[in-house]
Amino acid sequence: MDDYREQYQKACKAAFSGFEPDLTGCRYPDLVLQVADLASSGLFSAEIAEIVGKTPKAIQKIFRRYNFPRLHNILPPRREQRHDWKGGVKLMKGYRYVRTPGHPYGTKHGCYVAEHRLVVESQIGRYLTPEEVVDHIDGDITNNHPSNLRVFASNGEHLRATLTGRCPEWTEEGRQSLDHARRQKRRTWKGVAIQPTHAE
């Protein structure tokens, strides 16, 4: 990141060399000139916004209004060089996902794969199929230690192993909903109504 920042600063200095915004009709010329000076020094719009007390969106509006050199086109950073880069790890629904370029089952955007699946794949030496399910034995989805993971061939097998013998904790609303559905008339594929066989 330090090397990239140095290269970016040089590129910004060159891009802004000789640049003078047209301040005709400008209500805040001092602000525009300050933003231009900060941008030419290699600061990102979010950093400039913090210094001048504006939002990043307001700073970008100044860039467009006064035809600043396009900062995002000046030495565009690779993903790992971005100032907000978090190491290629993100959380989705409580699960850790790791950016894994080239993985056949990565997400559409960024090619991220659930960390627990990557851990199992490294143990068994092959890619898991989309049908295979990885279960956290202790129920803690953040505990991706190999000893806490087991693989099932399908979600059906996973549910049979994890739910058999467990009594679901239905809410009163859930019970009423199930009871209501149970009491409704059912229809066969021929459209003939069938009354419930139990006593009402």
Side-chain angles (χ1 to χ4, degrees):
M1 180 62 187
D2 291 339
D3 290 341
Y4 173 74
R5 172 70 80 165
E6 185 177 341
Q7 295 171 19
Y8 182 71
Q9 289 172 344
K10 291 179 180 177
C12 285
K13 185 177 180 179
F16 277 84
S17 178
F19 171 73
E20 293 183 9
D22 181 2
L23 301 177
T24 304
C26 178
R27 296 173 59 189
Y28 306 103
D30 290 341
L31 173 62
V32 175
L33 291 174
Q34 182 185 11
V35 170
D37 184 58
L38 293 170
S40 67
S41 70
L43 294 181
F44 298 109
S45 58
E47 297 169 326
I48 296 173
E50 188 173 347
I51 292 173
V52 302
K54 300 288 184 180
T55 64
K57 190 172 182 179
I59 299 302
Q60 292 160 11
K61 187 175 181 180
I62 291 175
F63 290 171
R64 294 190 298 272
R65 170 67 178 80
Y66 298 98
N67 295 316
F68 280 35
R70 300 294 184 93
L71 295 189
H72 60 273
N73 288 339
I74 299 174
L75 195 68
R78 294 192 299 272
R79 187 184 298 266
E80 63 274 12
Q81 292 176 324
R82 292 176 58 88
H83 66 282
D84 57 354
W85 173 249
K86 298 179 180 178
V89 177
K90 64 181 179 180
L91 291 178
M92 290 192 286
K93 297 182 179 180
Y95 293 91
R96 282 171 55 88
Y97 277 71
V98 180
R99 185 168 184 269
T100 315
H103 195 290
Y105 305 117
T107 58
K108 182 177 180 181
H109 301 292
C111 200
Y112 283 84
V113 181
E115 185 179 62
H116 56 277
R117 296 182 71 85
L118 292 175
V119 170
V120 169
E121 287 177 347
S122 69
Q123 294 292 308
I124 63 178
R126 65 170 177 84
Y127 291 123
L128 292 171
T129 67
E131 293 75 26
E132 291 177 299
V133 176
V134 177
D135 176 60
H136 292 81
I137 297 172
D138 66 359
D140 180 4
I141 62 175
T142 65
N143 180 4
N144 292 325
H145 191 275
S147 63
N148 188 48
L149 303 174
R150 56 181 174 174
V151 182
F152 292 93
S154 67
N155 192 48
E157 289 189 12
H158 170 235
L159 293 177
R160 276 194 295 273
T162 55
L163 297 182
T164 298
R166 294 178 58 183
C167 180
E169 297 179 1
W170 298 109
T171 63
E172 185 58 34
E173 182 181 355
R175 287 195 183 92
Q176 290 177 0
S177 178
L178 286 173
D179 188 58
H180 176 73
R182 181 173 55 85
R183 292 173 182 274
Q184 296 303 303
K185 294 179 179 179
R186 294 173 299 176
R187 295 182 179 277
T188 67
W189 63 275
K190 293 182 179 180
V192 178
I194 300 177
Q195 294 289 349
T197 56
H198 61 279
E200 295 291 338

